[in-house]
Structures are given as C-alpha cells and as structure tokens.
Amino acid sequence: MAEKQPTPKELLDRIDYQPPHADWMETPVDIRKGMYCYASNPKSVATLGLPNARPWNPLDEDWKLPENWQQIIHEGFKERLERFRSVKLFMDICVRCGACADKCHYFIGTGDPKNMPVLRAELLRSVYRNDFTRLGKLLGKANGARPLTLDVLKEWWYYLFQCSECRRCSLYCPYGIDTAEITIFGRELLNLVGLNIDWIATPVSNCYMTGNHLGIQPHAFKDMLDFFVDDIEEKTGVKVAPKYMKKGADILFITPSGDVFADPGTYTAMGYMMLFHYLEEKYGLDVTWSTYASEGGNFGFFTS
Ligand code: SF4
Ligand code: SF4
C-alpha cells in the first residue's frame, strides 16, 4: 500500500527553528527519508569516466568507498586550495556574523542549522582547519577543527547536495563569501571518491550520449518541433519551417531541452520558432536547431 503523504500543514508544523541543545559537531548526521537524493546509477558514473562507479545506498552503513578515501580527499582538498584562491580565502575569512544564516531556502524549509550557509561551509572549514592550518592542528576542536571521519564525509554528502547553488546567501555576506562556490568545491571532493547523486549523474550522462539531459533521441526531438509547427499553424495560420543542423546557417540555436519537451517551456519554444520565422522573412537570417547538441541547461554545474 502506498505511504500516506503528509499534508502541507503537517510539513510546515514539523519545521522547528529552535536552536538544538547539542553542539553541531556533536550532532550526528541523520540521513532522513525524503530528504536525500538517490545515489547515482553506476552506469552513468562509468559513462562520465568518474571514479568508483558501483551500486551503493546512502542508507547503508557501507558506502563502498575506496580504501584510501581519506588520502584522496586530502590530496584533492590540497590541490584545490592551491588552484583556487577564492576557496582558500572563503575558508579563512568567515567571521560567523550569521547574516547569511536565514537567507537559504533549505534552512527556511527545514529548520536544520546545518542548512545555514555559514554552517554548510563550516562542515568543510572544520576539516580545512584540522588538515591545513597550524592553529587547527594545535588546538583541535577549540579552534573549530575536526578530522575527516566517515561520519563527517556522510554529513558532507547529505548537506552539500542540499544547496541549489543559487548564491542568494552571498548577496548578504559582508565579505562576499560565495557558499555556492564552496559547495561546488565540496562536491568535487565527493566525486573523487564516487559520492554522486543520480539527479545529476544520469542527466549529465544522457547529455554525453544523446545530447540532452532527458536522453531524447534526435528523431523524437524533431517530432516535437513538428508538433509545434502544427500548433502554431492552427493558432496563427502561419506555417513555420524549422531547420535542423543546416550547414552554413547564421545561428546555431541551443536551448534547455525542457523548452522542447515540457510545458510550459514548450510555449517558449513555439515563441522561438515564430521569432526565427520572422527573422528569416524580414532580414534573411538563417537559424538552425541541432538534434544532437540539444541541451542548453548546464547540468555539469551541479556535478562539481
Ligand atoms: S547558494 Fe546554497 S547555501 Fe546559499 S542560499 Fe543558495 S542554496 Fe542556500
Ligand atoms: S554572512 Fe559571510 S561572514 Fe557572515 S556568517 Fe555568513 S559566510 Fe560568514
């Protein structure tokens, strides 16, 4: 029997903004049902050439990590600190003023303090202090440092993927700390040991294999646009004629595939088609679609 879904009121009543009694470092991660994304399909991970493709389940004790996962993450952390000055700066300069705390929709929607941007970043910063700063090495927890244990890694995975990279929090930070950049950095580290989510890995793999995240084949792409041609003619009396992969066209037009396959984006696509028809009639501008390069959405952005 299907599980009873909570009502919106029940969901809202569950949100508790009271500060927890225990220190955040003493609060173990609780991977809650309905609050995490499924682990990625190993086939998609292999297609992308990412490491450690295997079936795994976030609810299992054993995440099937490589034996030297701590070393891999430590080296990845070090390499990125050297490469990205911004990340190094963001690790050092937060004064914990809290201005960003209530700006994240994940915190507003859950009441979970680890979803405050400041604390989301602190999950990584604590390990940074432990591994890369003198004071952190000397003073440990008193300096907000902690070693990277399996529980910490699981906490990273759970909270770093609860960020939509919207950058709203950075607008309120007096130092301009960009938590989105920090979570992108953290996800890169997680990907090094095969901790991805399927909401990202499979759409990206589909982009590799068919040109769009939905995995729609070229003939289906063309079919959809042909339907739109009929709809446009029915409404306007004008028959537009989209072009596909036309060599020598003035413009190659690529839009997020949601515009072609899902309402209300389809209305936007019909608007494009009418515009292109007009541009050709009036100015002789030649616009072509591609049934292979058929994704303008940036799913890779969410991977790393
Ligand atoms: S960038 Fe991430 S942490 Fe910041 S407000 Fe957006 S979702 Fe929240
Ligand atoms: S607003 Fe900036 S400085 Fe203040 S707690 Fe958030 S990230 Fe740190």
Side-chain angles (χ1 to χ4, degrees), residues 69-264:
W69 65 266
Q70 276 156 313
Q71 186 197 348
I72 295 173
I73 299 248
H74 178 85
E75 282 166 10
F77 212 131
K78 184 166 180 283
E79 187 205 324
R80 282 160 183 78
L81 286 173
E82 286 161 6
R83 253 172 55 208
F84 304 115
R85 201 164 150 244
S86 52
V87 172
K88 170 93 176 64
L89 210 63
F90 295 161
M91 289 291 118
D92 285 328
I93 63 172
C94 172
V95 289
R96 300 193 191 86
C97 66
C100 61
D102 61 347
K103 305 304 182 297
C104 178
H105 39 286
Y106 286 85
F107 172 65
I108 296 168
T110 61
D112 186 337
K114 289 180 189 170
N115 268 328
M116 292 175 179
V118 53
L119 198 39
R120 198 188 307 287
E122 201 68 17
L123 303 177
L124 286 155
R125 257 187 216 113
S126 49
V127 173
Y128 162 75
R129 288 193 196 100
N130 185 76
D131 287 14
F132 300 102
T133 70
R134 194 167 299 148
L135 273 182
K137 281 179 188 162
L138 282 171
L139 301 176
K141 198 176 166 197
N143 186 240
R146 63 175 179 171
L148 179 61
T149 61
L150 186 57
D151 280 346
V152 171
L153 187 77
K154 290 186 175 185
E155 195 178 51
W156 280 12
W157 182 82
Y158 187 54
Y159 289 103
L160 293 180
F161 281 108
Q162 289 188 61
C163 166
S164 56
E165 320 288 18
C166 71
R167 300 200 146 120
R168 183 168 191 256
C169 50
S170 70
L171 298 177
Y172 293 87
C173 175
Y175 292 92
I177 293 174
D178 185 356
T179 306
E181 193 170 333
I182 297 174
T183 57
I184 289 169
F185 159 75
R187 290 178 191 188
E188 273 195 19
L189 298 181
L190 291 168
N191 269 273
L192 294 176
V193 291
L195 297 180
N196 345 70
I197 61 172
D198 205 45
W199 186 82
I200 295 171
T202 294
V204 178
S205 155
N206 284 340
C207 289
Y208 270 41
M209 302 309 288
T210 53
N212 61 73
H213 85 276
L214 295 164
I216 306 290
Q217 304 286 336
H219 58 277
F221 187 96
K222 183 175 177 305
D223 268 0
M224 282 305 292
L225 261 59
D226 286 348
F227 286 133
F228 298 162
V229 169
D230 294 343
D231 285 353
I232 292 168
E233 189 177 14
E234 200 183 303
K235 288 278 175 216
T236 65
V238 177
K239 191 160 180 83
V240 300
K243 299 185 186 82
Y244 304 97
M245 291 169 298
K246 185 176 172 206
K247 242 183 172 174
D250 299 307
I251 295 172
L252 166 63
F253 181 72
I254 299 172
T255 189
S257 59
D259 285 351
V260 180
F261 296 108
D263 292 340

